[in-house]
Amino acid sequence: MIIDHDRFVELESLEERLDSEMNALRDVLSEVENRASDIAWELDDYLAEYHFSMVEESIDQLAELVGVKEIDDLKLLSALARIRNDTAQVIAPEGNEIPTLSKEQLPPRAPDDIGDGLWDERIESLKDRVHHCATHIHDLLGRFGVRWQEAVNSAYDGYGDHAQAELVTVQALVAEAQNAYKLWEVCLSELYGDSPGSLGDVGEMVEETEKWVAVQLAGQQTLDESS
């Protein structure tokens, strides 16, 4: 079939616009990986400092990175790629297994009735449980950026099904990170209960807050009794 010159120029212009739109979408979506890397970098410090509120905030920020807009943009990128390629590319989704962690999988905790001479061993066992959770959270955040970028690249290349599978993996990683945070918080509480000083500045801050609350409650009780 012979295409006249004007028609050829029009098609070429449409192709350029399509490529431009796809490249712009890919660049915007790739920013998610960059932001996820920043969050993961900050999170390592928060975990090391036992800064529980900042760890929770970091994981919440991670969850917000892939919202309705990002998902819609990913679908649009896949659709544009299908138009560009004039076909739907097919690739078998990889089985991305999500690592999980439960309380039963944590290192054993030394018994409560351990003798004074072995108290340090108990504290170390509690620290080990906290560290195990922290390592798991770190691993999940590292996987998040890799899998999201794989979703973006797959959408750009027209592999819509594979992009969707990677998106499901990303969402599962966020859910597991939220569960892991709750487990980390429990282990942190166990450690604080036996050794507040092991949590450094955060432990000292919580201890001072508890003392202040106790004083306020005692003062209120005295007022109630005298009235």
Side-chain angles (χ1 to χ4, degrees), residues 21-191:
E21 180 66 20
M22 288 180 61
N23 289 334
L25 272 174
R26 182 175 60 177
D27 290 345
V28 169
L29 290 170
S30 293
E31 281 300 312
V32 170
E33 183 191 20
N34 296 334
R35 181 59 188 134
S37 296
D38 292 340
I39 291 173
W41 181 271
E42 295 166 353
L43 183 70
D44 282 345
D45 288 337
Y46 298 145
L47 287 168
E49 296 166 0
Y50 308 112
H51 207 318
F52 54 90
S53 62
M54 295 306 296
V55 171
E56 182 178 29
E57 183 177 325
S58 294
I59 293 174
D60 288 343
Q61 289 174 351
L62 190 78
E64 293 169 359
L65 287 180
V66 179
V68 174
K69 182 182 183 305
E70 288 72 25
I71 293 173
D72 286 346
D73 283 349
L74 190 69
K75 291 178 180 177
L76 176 57
L77 184 58
S78 292
L80 293 177
R82 287 198 299 273
I83 294 172
R84 180 191 61 186
N85 299 331
D86 196 28
T87 183
Q89 301 292 323
V90 178
I91 184 173
E94 296 177 7
N96 294 320
E97 185 176 348
I98 305 300
T100 59
L101 182 65
S102 66
K103 199 169 185 177
E104 292 71 29
Q105 293 172 303
L106 291 173
R109 181 178 61 187
D112 295 339
D113 58 354
I114 196 169
D116 292 339
L118 297 176
W119 186 251
D120 287 347
E121 181 181 324
R122 173 173 170 79
I123 300 305
E124 286 304 313
S125 73
L126 295 177
K127 286 182 179 179
D128 195 24
R129 290 161 69 86
V130 171
H131 177 70
H132 207 77
C133 292
T135 300
H136 181 57
I137 294 172
H138 170 84
D139 179 47
L140 291 169
L141 264 68
R143 290 170 182 256
F144 177 96
V146 173
R147 300 271 54 94
W148 171 255
Q149 196 55 45
E150 181 62 27
V152 174
N153 292 340
S154 295
Y156 185 84
D157 291 335
Y159 300 112
D161 290 344
H162 191 260
Q164 179 60 32
E166 292 291 354
L167 174 61
V168 170
T169 298
V170 165
Q171 293 170 326
L173 285 167
V174 171
E176 176 60 20
Q178 292 168 331
N179 291 334
Y181 167 76
K182 294 174 184 176
L183 186 57
W184 179 76
E185 196 175 34
V186 169
C187 293
L188 215 56
S189 265
E190 293 175 345
L191 179 57

Side-chain angles (χ1 to χ4, degrees), residues 10-26:
E10 181 183 354
L11 290 173
E12 191 175 52
S13 176
L14 287 173
E15 184 178 359
E16 289 175 357
R17 287 165 55 192
L18 181 59
D19 286 342
S20 177
E21 180 66 20
M22 288 180 61
N23 289 334
L25 272 174
R26 182 175 60 177

